[in-house]
Amino acid sequence: MTGAAVSTAGSDKKRGRAAGDSGRGVSGLLFVAAALIWAGPPAAAYAASGSRSAGPLTAWETAGISALVVASILLAVVATTTLAWMLHAWRTPETLAATRFSGELRPAAHRFSLLVAARHEEAVLGDTLDRLAAQSHPGFEILVIVGDDDTATRSVAVSAAVRHPDLIRVIVDDSVPKSKPAALNAALPHVTGDVVGVFDAEDEVHPALLAHVDSQFQESGADVVQGGVQLMNHDSSWWALRNCLEYFFWYRSRLHFHANARFIPLGGNTVFIKSTWLRLGGGWDETCLAEDCELGVRMSADGARVAVAYDPDLVTREETPTTLGSLIRQRTRWDQGFLQVLGKGEWRRLPTWRQRWLARYTLAMPFLQTFSGLMIPVSAALMIWARVPTLVVLISFLPAVPTAVTLTVELCGLAEFASVYKVRARIRDYVLLVLGTFPYQVLLAFAAIRAVLREVRGRRDWEKTEHVGAHRALSGQA
């Protein structure tokens, strides 16, 4: 095999994402562990100094200490597996080279239908469509899906169709409620290509991408090709830096692990699927807040062959959420979508217990994040009031080693990100990466708690992420 990692998901008969990520970009709950680690030594000091009265532990102390032990072991497992999956692509020079497109372009053999679902995206949509229309591949069409109640975005889409009349068609989505999967399904009957590609309204797409994807389909015999996506505006905010690195490790390494494991949470864009698979499977699940995840689970269970390729020269460039509130809403949506996919149970059709274990573990990550978030105040209370046995203190340090190694890997990842994308990583960025680690994981834990609460309450409305084109301002194309 050349180029990307390829997997064939086995079949009983006929996904998880970001996670992040969860989804689509989870670098793991690594530094939520810090709250647990820090809670141990002061509590032990209290016990050792005799400042606490002797006697049996109270029921509350026993419950809290038990939770601390469980959380410490759980976080050690999460930190270790996350670290291993982050480094999957860097095991050898050969495995890193295999994550890229092969570079060998073959004569075009496929026709692409590119779907761009856009809602209130008038600020960024026009540039995206112009970039897509500049593809070097000879056979493609662009279907822009806009809501019947979104006149501003529709106007931008129509203007682009006038500029590129042979390439762009505008599809009006009248579904209620509005969502990305509903918009994609509205376009599916209008598709004429044998491969469907999905892009977001703010995407910056390389003009040679389709040519490389076409060659990858031919080389691998895949049913799906997942391309790379990279957030670029790392210096926009303290959380943007971590957000960019999440995508860097997720698309360059972890998705390749999932492909090799024959269970893959597909990304939400720069994903290319044979149209026959979409039609046979009924398109995207309109009730799911992580429609890409759900589709990946289904296709893995159905035996689809998936190829993944991350090539820095060909990645689709995007921006991080512009505000903390927007980031929390985005992660809440992804986490809740993972929980929906977990509950739907398509992953149970995966043929091996290893695949099913990986699916359960990946899709349940929001629950793990929620538990870790809830343990922060418990740890603080134990630090102040509890008599913690020495053995428990030692157990609470279990996540420390993989957590410290992971931070070191992330620091190295920042250096490589800066080198590959020719951006400047300042001393300030390395300091912010370290100092922002724990607050960022607390933020992700809060989003996970929010997702669980929304799912329990039956709230499944689509919380949209706003886009302003910050990645284009970075490259001088805004």
Side-chain angles (χ1 to χ4, degrees):
M1 179 193 73
T2 59
V6 180
S7 74
T8 305
S11 173
D12 253 356
K13 171 196 170 268
K14 163 166 162 98
R15 153 198 124 138
R17 174 174 152 181
D21 69 43
S22 53
R24 266 167 221 336
V26 172
S27 29
L29 305 174
L30 305 175
F31 268 74
V32 173
L36 306 176
I37 295 168
W38 297 337
Y46 273 118
S49 66
S51 60
R52 298 301 177 99
S53 60
L57 296 174
T58 67
W60 286 107
E61 286 177 323
T62 301
I65 290 170
S66 299
L68 178 61
V69 170
V70 171
S72 297
I73 295 172
L74 179 62
L75 286 171
V77 172
V78 171
T80 302
T81 55
T82 298
L83 176 61
W85 296 339
M86 285 174 64
L87 294 173
H88 176 81
W90 285 275
R91 290 171 297 158
T92 67
E94 291 75 22
T95 57
L96 183 60
T99 64
R100 304 174 65 120
F101 289 103
S102 68
E104 178 186 350
L105 293 181
R106 301 188 178 192
H110 298 283
R111 175 173 170 77
F112 293 85
S113 292
L114 308 180
L115 308 188
V116 183
R119 182 162 180 78
H120 303 310
E121 300 282 14
E122 59 271 16
V124 295
L125 179 62
D127 287 340
T128 296
L129 296 178
D130 288 338
R131 291 279 292 186
L132 279 175
Q135 287 292 309
S136 61
H137 193 277
F140 70 97
E141 63 177 352
I142 303 169
L143 305 182
V144 192
I145 312 101
V146 297
D148 56 354
D149 58 346
D150 187 1
T151 56
T153 305
R154 183 175 182 177
S155 176
V156 172
V158 170
S159 296
V162 171
R163 293 194 300 273
H164 310 283
D166 297 329
L167 295 175
I168 297 178
R169 287 187 286 153
V170 180
I171 309 297
V172 178
D173 170 32
D174 58 2
S175 65
V176 178
K178 304 296 185 190
S179 69
K180 180 179 177 180
L184 295 174
N185 282 337
L188 194 54
H190 303 275
V191 162
T192 63
D194 61 304
V195 175
V196 174
V198 179
F199 290 96
D200 288 339
E202 80 280 14
D203 285 351
E204 198 80 357
V205 184
H206 193 282
L209 177 62
L210 292 187
H212 285 272
V213 171
D214 194 330
S215 296
Q216 189 61 47
F217 270 113
Q218 297 178 57
E219 292 171 9
S220 64
D223 303 300
V224 181
V225 171
Q226 172 68 68
V229 181
Q230 183 59 59
L231 305 181
M232 294 303 301
N233 54 314
H234 73 287
D235 57 355
S236 295
S237 60
W238 69 266
W239 67 85
L241 178 60
R242 290 212 140 268
N243 210 183
C244 289
L245 285 181
E246 279 185 322
Y247 270 62
F248 184 68
F249 285 109
W250 178 262
Y251 281 94
R252 190 159 202 184
S253 184
R254 176 145 177 191
L255 277 184
H256 297 274
F257 163 78
H258 281 284
N260 290 337
R262 302 174 182 177
F263 166 80
I264 182 167
L266 292 174
N269 74 78
T270 317
V271 60
F272 303 88
I273 308 162
K274 294 286 184 69
S275 57
T276 51
W277 278 87
L278 283 172
R279 291 193 172 100
L280 288 173
W284 291 266
D285 185 345
E286 298 183 14
T287 67
C288 187
L289 296 175
E291 81 294 333
D292 47 355
C293 173
E294 192 280 332
L295 180 62
V297 169
R298 252 192 297 139
M299 293 191 70
S300 293
D302 288 344
R305 292 174 54 86
V306 181
V308 180
Y310 181 102
D311 196 315
D313 295 330
L314 298 170
V315 297
T316 295
R317 303 188 177 204
E318 291 189 341
E319 64 182 326
T320 65
T322 54
T323 66
L324 274 177
S326 181
L327 176 62
I328 290 171
R329 289 190 293 272
Q330 181 193 67
R331 293 309 176 98
T332 298
R333 187 178 75 244
W334 292 354
D335 287 343
Q336 190 174 356
F338 268 49
L339 296 178
Q340 288 177 282
V341 178
L342 179 66
K344 188 174 180 180
E346 291 281 347
W347 55 271
R348 292 189 177 93
R349 298 192 292 110
L350 291 164
T352 72
W353 70 266
R354 292 181 184 274
Q355 290 171 286
R356 293 190 293 272
W357 176 89
L358 178 60
R360 187 184 290 110
Y361 180 76
T362 303
L363 297 173
M365 189 58 70
F367 283 127
L368 302 180
Q369 288 178 313
T370 297
F371 177 62
S372 299
L374 294 175
M375 276 304 299
I376 293 175
V378 173
S379 299
L382 289 172
M383 179 181 68
I384 297 172
W385 291 298
R387 296 164 294 167
V388 181
T390 301
L391 178 60
V392 174
V393 173
L394 295 175
I395 292 173
S396 73
F397 277 92
L398 283 176
V401 173
T403 295
V405 175
T406 298
L407 180 56
T408 303
V409 169
E410 289 176 333
L411 291 169
C412 295
L414 174 56
E416 181 166 352
F417 171 84
S419 174
V420 165
Y421 291 104
K422 311 227 171 2
V423 297
R424 182 184 177 191
R426 301 160 294 181
I427 297 297
R428 169 179 172 270
D429 295 321
Y430 290 97
V431 173
L432 281 178
L433 182 63
V434 175
L435 296 181
T437 302
F438 181 62
Y440 190 73
Q441 299 302 330
V442 172
L443 183 150
L444 296 185
F446 174 75
I449 293 170
R450 188 168 176 263
V452 171
L453 292 176
R454 279 173 53 90
E455 184 65 15
V456 168
R457 295 170 180 170
R459 286 195 55 191
R460 295 179 176 176
D461 51 299
W462 192 276
E463 295 188 311
K464 186 183 177 301
T465 305
E466 301 83 11
H467 301 112
V468 299
H471 55 311
R472 287 173 178 157
L474 184 67
S475 59
Q477 299 175 17

